Amino acid sequence: LVLTGASQGGLFEKRRKGSMALALLPQTAFAACSNYSDSGVDHFNDPLFGDDGLSPASLGVVTVLCWIITSLAVSAGIGGGGLLVPLYFIGLDVPQTLAVALSKGTIFGVACGNFAFLWSQRHPHVDRPLIDYKTAVFMQGGELMGVVLGVLFNLLLPQVVIIMLSALVLGFNAYKTIKKGIAKRAAETKAFAAPEKKAARPAGAGEGDAPPPTLRQAVALEAKGKEGGDGSTGDGASEAGTSNVGSSANLVALDVQGNEALKKKILAAQARRFQPWAWALLGPMVTFFVVYSLLLGEIFDPDFTNCVVGYWPAYVSPFFFYGATTLYMARRNIAEGARMLEAGIEPVAGDIVWSRKSAGMLVPAAVGAGAAAGLLGIGGGMILGPIFVALDFQPQVGTATTGFMILFTAMGGTVKYLTIGKLSWQMFLWFAAVGAVGGQTGQRLPRGGIPR
């Protein structure tokens, strides 16, 4: 190029300038409609009040609306980011990137207030916490992986694309949830009407329609007959056990009796309000994400930029770390499910039956929820909620579990946005406090409405 330029003089100079302008056209057009127009602005020290702060009237109106939105969202087990982002974008007239980051910080406050209520609640049907820790910890790794991708794409994609994706995700989830809710209501109405029909049925009618006893019921019936000493009951049960079940009935009976100690051990561990194993995993997972965010945010070393050799290995490290934790939790949940069956513990209606297939289906859902949370500024509950509904999760358990998971997803996103200067710490503290109050309100007000 140097030789050609020297020989052709001014002609080369004109061509070079024209080529550079042509090459820069896509980059210029991209920057004009993308979030990079705000890339050089550091919002970390943006004031909440004052001449450079927010309008007091706008702040007051948005604060009240934020409290209402978060209160209603918590009742449904979501963070409310789908409504908070447009609220901040329009009501506060802030850049879209700041609106997403501020929504994430608000959801973190919501999740803190939410967890202060949920951690002491119990499952409505069995003696264990309302939060399904097995599912939450398993999916948390995938969510945090997704947050890394979501925050990256939030900085790269044009604002119009993010707004369109937000509308698409919210609309699709609303359709699927309403459809599933109608089907769920029909099933519950039918279940409530069943006892009334049974009470109105004449005595003896429909007895032949009773389903045959399961193997475990047959074994229990045989044992009860032998203990009672009733000739007809005992002999009948014994004959049925010998002819139909055979020698395996005695083996099953001994197996169930021999695993009674294992059953008590498992149930006692599940009944604990504080699950040590869950927090032993969540602690390193959260610590890793915080350190990772501070490192890439150039907090530890201002010279640690993407031009440093170790930058990109560090950037992709969450995928290896959280991938390992997700794999460990999948194996742990599958193994515990097998132990529960061995101990004779029947799954409760609404529980996930853990297998390789179910674990494989939930991993993409977790990563997608995290990516949507980081990209769109939502908590992830708008993705996980419909998934749990589709899996027939017990509604209260699903709401509590998503609320618990949002705590860590929102914290990861908030730390990430603070370290890269896309979130004002004063605005974060204000709206996080409003969200925390909304989280408490949303949990306590509808509490009496669920049983009714």
Side-chain angles (χ1 to χ4, degrees):
L1 289 176
V2 172
L3 291 175
T4 306
S7 62
Q8 295 184 357
L11 178 62
F12 170 74
E13 184 67 20
K14 291 180 180 180
R15 288 181 178 178
R16 186 178 65 84
K17 290 182 178 180
S19 300
M20 288 180 62
L22 184 63
L24 288 174
L25 277 178
Q27 181 179 351
T28 305
F30 181 80
C33 62
S34 73
N35 294 328
Y36 273 115
S37 60
D38 190 48
S39 61
V41 181
D42 190 341
H43 295 289
F44 183 78
N45 290 313
D46 286 1
L48 181 65
F49 302 105
D51 295 336
D52 297 329
L54 301 175
S55 165
S58 299
L59 181 62
V61 173
V62 170
T63 298
V64 173
L65 292 176
C66 175
W67 172 73
I68 295 174
I69 289 172
T70 53
S71 299
L72 295 175
V74 164
S75 303
I78 60 178
L83 297 176
L84 291 175
V85 172
L87 174 67
Y88 295 148
F89 183 65
I90 299 172
L92 298 180
D93 193 24
V94 296
Q96 187 269 345
T97 305
L98 178 57
V100 170
L102 190 55
S103 169
K104 184 62 64 179
T106 307
I107 293 171
F108 176 59
V110 172
C112 290
N114 198 15
F115 180 68
F117 175 84
L118 289 175
W119 78 278
S120 61
Q121 300 302 301
R122 307 296 292 177
H123 195 286
H125 303 309
V126 292
D127 185 21
R128 67 186 188 208
L130 185 61
I131 299 171
D132 187 343
Y133 285 98
K134 292 188 297 184
T135 302
V137 178
F138 168 76
M139 300 188 71
Q140 197 64 68
E143 273 210 290
L144 290 175
M145 280 192 285
V147 168
V148 175
L149 292 174
V151 172
L152 174 63
F153 283 113
N154 179 269
L155 297 175
L156 294 178
L157 292 177
Q159 295 187 24
V160 63
V161 174
I162 296 176
I163 294 172
M164 290 174 63
L165 285 175
S166 179
L168 181 63
V169 169
L170 297 179
F172 179 76
N173 281 345
Y175 165 73
K176 296 293 289 185
T177 303
I178 291 173
K179 184 177 178 181
K180 186 68 177 181
I182 293 173
K184 198 84 172 178
R185 183 180 186 278
E188 290 181 353
T189 302
K190 184 178 180 181
F192 286 138
E196 299 177 1
K197 292 182 179 179
K198 186 176 181 181
R201 184 182 302 171
E207 293 179 356
D209 298 334
T214 62
L215 179 60
R216 185 169 291 141
Q217 291 172 337
V219 173
L221 182 62
E222 179 184 6
K224 182 178 180 180
K226 289 181 179 179
E227 292 175 0
D230 185 351
S232 59
T233 305
D235 294 341
S238 178
E239 291 174 4
T242 304
S243 60
N244 297 333
V245 181
S247 59
S248 63
N250 293 328
L251 294 175
V252 174
L254 291 173
D255 184 53
V256 174
Q257 184 178 3
N259 286 306
E260 188 65 28
L262 178 61
K263 180 178 180 179
K264 291 181 179 179
K265 181 179 179 181
I266 294 175
L267 293 178
Q270 291 180 349
R272 293 176 184 170
R273 176 183 299 178
F274 181 80
Q275 298 286 326
W277 67 266
W279 291 101
L281 284 170
L282 288 170
M285 290 169 69
V286 172
T287 302
F288 177 88
F289 197 92
V290 172
V291 173
Y292 164 80
S293 299
L294 295 176
L295 177 65
L296 295 190
E298 303 175 14
I299 303 300
F300 295 142
D301 183 4
D303 297 326
F304 191 75
T305 64
N306 56 3
C307 296
V308 177
V309 176
Y311 180 87
W312 292 109
Y315 196 94
V316 300
S317 61
F319 299 97
F320 296 97
F321 179 78
Y322 292 122
T325 59
T326 302
L327 179 61
Y328 168 78
M329 278 303 303
R331 292 181 174 178
R332 185 186 187 280
N333 289 348
I334 293 172
E336 183 172 346
R339 289 176 68 235
M340 290 176 63
L341 291 178
E342 179 186 352
I345 302 175
E346 297 285 354
V348 179
D351 283 354
I352 293 178
V353 179
W354 287 98
S355 63
R356 290 184 178 181
K357 181 178 179 181
S358 60
M361 292 175 62
L362 288 174
V363 169
V367 175
L375 172 63
L376 306 177
I378 62 178
M382 288 190 174
I383 307 296
L384 294 176
I387 292 173
F388 285 163
V389 170
L391 291 173
D392 288 326
F393 229 41
Q394 207 282 336
Q396 291 171 263
V397 176
T399 299
T401 303
T402 54
F404 178 70
M405 294 174 63
I406 287 172
L407 173 65
F408 301 97
T409 306
M411 183 189 68
T414 300
V415 171
K416 187 74 175 171
Y417 280 119
L418 284 171
T419 55
I420 62 177
K422 294 304 176 185
L423 177 59
S424 162
W425 67 269
Q426 295 185 29
M427 297 181 189
F428 160 63
L429 292 179
W430 177 273
F431 285 104
V434 175
V437 175
Q440 287 287 312
T441 307
Q443 283 292 351
R444 297 182 185 279
L445 285 183
R447 188 177 182 183
I450 294 177
R452 290 197 297 268

